[in-house]
Amino acid sequence: MLTLLLGVVSSSIYAQQSTSRTYVVSPVVGPTIDRQEKITFGLFPYYSADNFTEARFEQSQSSDSTVTLITQFRDGRSVLRPFTKAELAAIRETIEVRVRELGLAAVSGTTAASTGAVAAQGPAEIVGQSYSVELVSGTSFVGILVESRPTELVFQTKDLGQITIQRATIRQFSQLSASQVQRGYDPVGNGTRLFFGPTARNLRKGEGYVQNIDIILLGANYGITDNFSVGVLFPLIPGLGANFLAVTPKVSIPVAEKFNVGAGVLYARAFGFGTDGGGAGIGYGVATYGTADNNATLGLGYGFAGESSETTPIVMLGGSTRISRRFSLLNETYFYDGGFAGLIGTRVAASRISGSLGFIYGTEIGSIYPAYAEVAYRFGRIK
């Protein structure tokens, strides 16, 4: 009797475990599609790459053989989306077209020739594609991947020739688009701010920077998560005019691949003799369309001081565009009751150090004057 019972239970468990199987839509991406493969092959445009972790297809063992995409996100969500045969065929075609565009010679981590599946560990590495590489030592370069080995990668670079890099020495490893390769490339951050003005894009978790503004101010910002960051701003030498401390928390939510919304506050409190110890600042909401290199931002904020607040909002309109390997143009304009004022200028950026120069203008300013000079150092994750 016990043997029969165990047999029934075992059969039941086996039946439950065999209700579905992994469905490989293409041997190029294999059973698990990671974030880099999503970006490389332009898959699942309805999901933001910023919040995407990985996805896989599961096929039901029932008579209808339904195929479902199971997607995991960084915020912990798991989303199921059924796929028709036509949609699966379109996915395969998208991958094949992208492979031809890239002139794909080989995909690293391939398994037996019968599948050619990409290994589930780490992002896909495409031989023949260009990458931006930063080493643990701080050295960075751009090169074409010519060979992928279990413990090392071989790159062809413009200035250094062919070099072999141990995987263990790589800190950051990012695939470059065709336009980035054409103009040369250095990462310029995640497009989280203009001059003073914030965008709706957020610092990534573990990414941060410190900055000096007009010599007299020091600031720092850090990504607590991919969607929440916090910053501080204070005088370099206390006592020169005013003593204060400002904090700048910000929440950002990716709505689509190139569209983010966010909200935050700039809250400052004065200290020392001659001050009442009160706080003041501005609470704002903001929306940004675009990438880290090229974006446009619209913001709306209300000022407050103590227990009172403004009833008329301040509107910010701004944007940035990258014009070369190192240079970007920036503008932020604030519209208020009866006029406007803003900053226009440029930013030059290397891998971790950047400098910005802004000129002030407005309805109550007779001309355009240099008013904003900044040096910033990025630390932690820089992608």
Side-chain angles (χ1 to χ4, degrees), residues 243-245 267-272 274-281 304-307:
N243 298 330
F244 70 90
L245 175 66
Y267 177 78
R269 193 175 185 89
F271 300 95
T275 65
D276 60 7
F304 61 87
E307 297 181 356

Side-chain angles (χ1 to χ4, degrees), residues 233-304:
L233 184 69
F234 53 89
L236 177 61
I237 304 176
L240 293 181
N243 298 330
F244 70 90
L245 175 66
V247 293
T248 59
K250 182 175 78 171
V251 175
S252 175
I253 301 173
V255 178
E257 189 76 33
K258 292 184 178 181
F259 183 65
N260 293 261
V261 295
V265 64
L266 169 63
Y267 177 78
R269 193 175 185 89
F271 300 95
F273 297 106
T275 65
D276 60 7
I282 184 170
Y284 64 86
V286 65
T288 298
Y289 178 80
T291 65
D293 288 347
N294 303 283
N295 54 73
T297 295
L298 176 65
L300 185 70
Y302 288 86
F304 61 87

Side-chain angles (χ1 to χ4, degrees), residues 10-328:
S10 298
S11 299
S12 175
I13 293 174
Y14 178 79
Q16 291 177 11
Q17 291 176 338
S18 303
T19 57
S20 66
R21 65 179 180 87
T22 300
Y23 181 93
V24 180
V25 70
S26 170
V28 176
V29 295
T32 302
I33 301 170
D34 60 30
R35 180 175 180 273
Q36 187 60 54
E37 289 169 328
K38 166 182 162 51
I39 296 172
T40 300
F41 299 105
L43 303 178
F44 321 131
Y46 32 81
Y47 294 143
S48 168
D50 290 338
N51 197 30
F52 183 93
T53 299
E54 65 179 29
R56 70 182 189 279
F57 287 99
E58 291 285 331
Q59 185 174 34
S60 171
Q61 297 281 47
S62 60
S63 58
D64 61 4
S65 299
T66 302
V67 176
T68 301
L69 178 69
I70 304 174
T71 305
Q72 303 292 333
F73 296 94
R74 291 185 180 183
D75 58 15
R77 291 182 298 125
S78 180
V79 177
L80 279 63
R81 185 183 191 277
F83 266 66
T84 65
K85 291 182 179 180
E87 289 175 320
L88 291 170
I91 290 285
R92 282 191 290 272
E93 177 64 20
T94 297
I95 294 172
E96 291 171 4
V97 169
R98 186 60 176 152
V99 166
R100 291 194 294 269
E101 289 176 349
L102 294 172
L104 184 59
V107 178
S108 71
T110 52
T111 61
S114 60
T115 63
V118 177
Q121 297 179 359
E125 298 152 4
I126 303 176
V127 173
Q129 182 68 5
S130 295
Y131 290 87
S132 171
V133 182
E134 183 189 11
L135 305 182
V136 174
S137 64
T139 301
S140 61
F141 64 89
V142 170
I144 299 172
L145 182 64
V146 296
E147 190 173 351
S148 176
R149 302 168 184 164
T151 60
E152 59 190 16
L153 300 174
V154 181
F155 295 91
Q156 183 67 43
T157 68
K158 181 179 179 181
D159 299 322
L160 304 175
Q162 190 172 104
I163 57 176
T164 301
I165 303 297
Q166 298 297 312
R167 289 180 182 270
T169 66
I170 297 176
R171 174 187 287 169
Q172 306 283 345
F173 183 65
S174 302
Q175 183 180 327
L176 305 183
S177 67
S179 62
Q180 289 172 334
V181 173
Q182 184 177 10
R183 69 190 177 199
Y185 181 79
D186 269 318
V188 295
N190 205 29
T192 62
R193 63 187 174 90
L194 301 170
F195 290 109
F196 279 114
T199 73
R201 296 176 61 87
N202 203 62
L203 289 166
R204 297 172 289 260
K205 180 180 180 180
E207 178 184 18
Y209 63 86
V210 293
Q211 61 183 157
N212 177 268
I213 302 173
D214 291 339
I215 301 177
I216 62 175
L217 297 177
L218 283 179
N221 281 265
Y222 185 74
I224 307 299
T225 71
D226 286 344
N227 303 105
F228 177 70
S229 63
V230 65
V232 296
L233 184 69
F234 53 89
L236 177 61
I237 304 176
L240 293 181
N243 298 330
F244 70 90
L245 175 66
V247 293
T248 59
K250 182 175 78 171
V251 175
S252 175
I253 301 173
V255 178
E257 189 76 33
K258 292 184 178 181
F259 183 65
N260 293 261
V261 295
V265 64
L266 169 63
Y267 177 78
R269 193 175 185 89
F271 300 95
F273 297 106
T275 65
D276 60 7
I282 184 170
Y284 64 86
V286 65
T288 298
Y289 178 80
T291 65
D293 288 347
N294 303 283
N295 54 73
T297 295
L298 176 65
L300 185 70
Y302 288 86
F304 61 87
E307 297 181 356
S308 63
S309 61
E310 295 289 338
T311 58
T312 302
I314 298 174
V315 177
M316 184 193 78
L317 181 63
S320 68
T321 182
R322 189 170 179 180
I323 59 174
S324 70
R325 177 181 181 183
R326 305 238 183 243
F327 284 90
S328 298

